[in-house]
Amino acid sequence: MKQKNEKYLHQAEKALNFIAEHPNYPDDGVPYWDFDAPDIPDTFRDASAGAILASALYELSAYSNQKNYKTWADKILTSLASPSYRAEAGRNGNFLLMHSVGSLPHNSEVDVPLNYADYYFLEALKRKRDLEKQSEN
């Protein structure tokens, strides 16, 4: 296990517990644009938030034994790679992921592809690959 600063690790675990235990956290692991949006479940999902969460879970899985963060991240990536969120090649402006939200209250970047969604999706995939290679050795 990597060297860790317990204070930061505990704070990260608290944040993840909040997400995991939130009554509005959806089963597929891809969050709504806001956990307390009044029109859940009939509101936008945020693939960028899901990609960021998956990447963070893979990273924290190397530091924490609290929960099976890798399994949680794998579930999110499976959802993001599904036709519900993953664009067909050559479509969606050539972005990988669909359905991200920048700021619904400002009507900015609503249900669109976002470059940072793709970035964190790819980062999560790399972290997954690296963790799995490491566990093979």
Side-chain angles (χ1 to χ4, degrees), residues 22-40:
H22 198 285
N24 291 335
Y25 184 65
D27 290 337
D28 73 354
V30 180
Y32 294 98
W33 73 272
D34 185 314
F35 278 106
D36 295 320
D39 46 355
I40 290 174

Side-chain angles (χ1 to χ4, degrees), residues 70 127-137:
K70 184 184 178 302
R127 286 182 170 168
K128 175 182 172 58
R129 183 195 64 196
D130 293 349
L131 281 170
E132 290 172 352
K133 276 186 179 179
Q134 186 178 24
S135 70
E136 290 174 1
N137 299 329

Side-chain angles (χ1 to χ4, degrees), residues 25-32 45-58 72-88 92 95-101 112 114 116-125:
Y25 184 65
D27 290 337
D28 73 354
V30 180
Y32 294 98
R45 296 296 192 89
D46 190 356
S48 64
I52 292 166
L53 179 57
S55 183
L57 287 163
Y58 285 126
W72 184 4
D74 288 344
K75 181 178 182 178
I76 296 168
L77 278 190
T78 297
S79 294
L80 290 175
S82 76
S84 296
Y85 299 99
R86 174 79 168 79
E88 292 181 34
N92 196 44
F95 285 85
L96 299 173
L97 295 178
M98 306 177 290
H99 309 304
S100 292
V101 178
V112 296
L114 295 172
Y116 56 88
D118 284 3
Y119 172 87
Y120 284 103
F121 181 61
L122 292 172
E123 181 180 77
L125 289 168

Side-chain angles (χ1 to χ4, degrees), residues 3-75:
Q3 185 179 11
K4 55 190 172 187
N5 182 322
E6 294 293 326
K7 178 174 73 172
Y8 295 117
L9 178 61
H10 292 307
Q11 186 60 39
E13 289 170 341
K14 281 184 189 180
L16 291 173
N17 285 336
F18 172 84
I19 293 167
E21 295 170 8
H22 198 285
N24 291 335
Y25 184 65
D27 290 337
D28 73 354
V30 180
Y32 294 98
W33 73 272
D34 185 314
F35 278 106
D36 295 320
D39 46 355
I40 290 174
D42 299 319
T43 192
F44 298 101
R45 296 296 192 89
D46 190 356
S48 64
I52 292 166
L53 179 57
S55 183
L57 287 163
Y58 285 126
E59 178 70 13
L60 283 168
S61 72
Y63 296 92
S64 176
N65 293 319
Q66 288 290 324
K67 293 190 179 195
N68 195 341
Y69 292 145
K70 184 184 178 302
T71 301
W72 184 4
D74 288 344
K75 181 178 182 178

